[in-house]
């Protein structure tokens, strides 16, 4: 028939995503729009001065472009699936999410909340 399906698995195989094509897989038209998040960032705690990393990934054909947000503002230069802050500070505490764009559609990950603690276990403030 003119429809075919492929199932994509992430390397960690935590999630799967099915893409439905119209036509051939050589020249597909993705019918389900996309992008869709397969992995959302996870809320976490960081110690002042220690690295902080968040990861999320959306799937689409072709692959989406990304932008990380902190407290609803885009983070300059943060345009990949991984966000790394080399040395966490009090100012890094807050809400983070990743936005993916593909095929004229936009998807937003679940928000992750980061708490930053001082070396004595208290929240600096």
């Amino acid at each position: 028939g003119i429809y075919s399906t492929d199932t994509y698995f992430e390397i960690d195989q935590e999630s799967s995503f099915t893409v439905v094509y119209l036509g051939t897989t050589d020249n597909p038209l993705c019918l389900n729009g996309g992008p869709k998040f397969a992995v959302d960032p996870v809320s976490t705690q960081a110690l002042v001065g220690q690295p902080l990393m968040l990861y999320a990934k959306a799937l689409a054909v072709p692959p989406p472009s990304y932008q990380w947000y902190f407290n609803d503002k885009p983070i300059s230069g943060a345009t990949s699936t991984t966000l790394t802050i080399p040395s966490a500070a009090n100012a890094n505490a807050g809400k983070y999410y990743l936005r993916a764009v593909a095929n004229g559609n936009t998807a937003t990950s679940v928000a992750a909340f980061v708490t930053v603690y001082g070396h004595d276990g208290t929240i600096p403030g």
Side-chain angles (χ1 to χ4, degrees):
I2 63 169
Y3 295 98
S4 65
T5 61
D6 290 326
T7 301
Y8 294 86
F9 291 94
E10 292 300 307
I11 291 172
D12 60 13
Q13 296 197 1
E14 289 180 14
S15 304
S16 66
F17 176 77
T18 301
V19 177
V20 179
Y21 298 106
L22 174 62
T24 67
T25 54
D26 294 332
N27 189 15
L29 171 63
C30 187
L31 293 178
N32 59 339
K36 293 186 186 225
F37 273 88
V39 180
D40 285 299
V42 177
S43 294
T44 190
Q45 300 172 353
L47 186 62
V48 168
Q50 295 300 308
L52 168 63
M53 187 180 87
L54 295 171
Y55 174 80
K57 185 166 186 173
L59 299 174
V61 177
S65 60
Y66 294 103
Q67 177 63 60
W68 281 97
Y69 287 76
F70 171 62
N71 291 336
D72 299 321
K73 295 179 183 165
I75 302 170
S76 179
T79 57
S80 70
T81 56
T82 302
L83 175 66
T84 303
I85 297 169
S87 181
N90 186 39
N92 300 121
K95 178 175 79 170
Y96 291 83
Y97 57 89
L98 184 61
R99 190 162 282 160
V101 177
N103 304 313
N105 298 308
T106 301
T108 302
S109 72
V110 169
F113 294 90
V114 172
T115 304
V116 179
Y117 290 93
H119 291 285
D120 60 357
T122 62
I123 299 174

